[in-house]
Amino acid sequence: SIGSSAFHKCHSLTSVANRRDRLLAYSKLFSYCSNLTSVTIGNGVTWIGGAAFSRCSNLTKITIGNSVTRIGAEAFRDCTNLTSVIFEGVAPTMDSSAFSPLAEGAKAIVHPVYASSFGRVGASLNGLIVELAKLQITRSGLVNAETFFIEFKAPGLG
């Protein structure tokens, strides 16, 4: 277990990728990490604690896994260079101060399957402008003479 504020003011940290456990859930865990530029929160995390990434002034991109259901107060407060938050699942419940203030034009990029949980495209979600992830065809071809397949994914989304 890693407690609250464990990486507080860790200026040498540039990225965080957590794909399995609840490490990122604790309050103030990465606050004031001034050189942190990207964060990937894995599918094992169910909530992001208050001020977990507050004042990470160089943070530009966050990917939030599909199991996150709640984002605490000021979780990403004063991440003033944040321009892209990719949500891999439905819209989590979040405090109104979770993302404030943000860079102008900051986007919440959502998978079309979950788009209705975020409201409408172009709407504001705590200061983030909701935008659909663009689908990318990864493979296509014939299965047999009667069946054609198309495999696709949204960039940044599995």
Side-chain angles (χ1 to χ4, degrees):
S1 176
I2 298 173
S4 296
S5 302
F7 298 100
H8 176 74
K9 293 187 179 180
C10 185
H11 300 297
S12 61
L13 191 62
T14 59
S15 66
V16 174
N18 179 14
R19 303 198 186 279
R20 288 183 277 201
D21 55 35
R22 298 177 67 138
L23 176 63
L24 301 179
Y26 301 106
S27 297
K28 298 182 182 177
L29 187 60
F30 293 97
S31 60
Y32 288 91
C33 292
S34 60
N35 289 315
L36 188 63
T37 59
S38 67
V39 172
T40 299
I41 299 171
N43 293 332
V45 177
T46 58
W47 63 279
I48 301 168
F53 294 92
S54 66
R55 293 174 178 81
C56 292
S57 56
N58 286 310
L59 186 60
T60 60
K61 180 182 176 186
I62 304 166
T63 301
I64 297 177
N66 64 18
S67 61
V68 173
T69 59
R70 186 169 52 100
I71 299 175
E74 301 183 357
F76 298 96
R77 181 163 182 78
D78 291 324
C79 294
T80 53
N81 285 308
L82 185 60
T83 57
S84 176
V85 181
I86 299 168
F87 290 92
E88 294 183 332
V90 298
T93 301
M94 62 184 88
D95 188 271
S96 62
S97 66
F99 293 95
S100 67
L102 293 170
E104 189 170 328
K107 295 181 180 3
I109 301 170
V110 303
H111 194 289
V113 171
Y114 305 115
S116 63
S117 71
F118 290 88
R120 62 177 177 75
V121 172
S124 177
L125 175 75
N126 281 20
L128 296 163
I129 300 165
V130 177
E131 182 178 286
L132 293 179
K134 293 173 178 59
L135 298 178
Q136 173 186 25
I137 295 174
T138 56
R139 291 188 321 146
S140 63
L142 290 172
V143 174
N144 56 43
E146 299 168 350
T147 307
F148 182 80
F149 77 93
I150 299 174
E151 179 183 280
F152 57 91
K153 71 174 188 169
L157 304 173

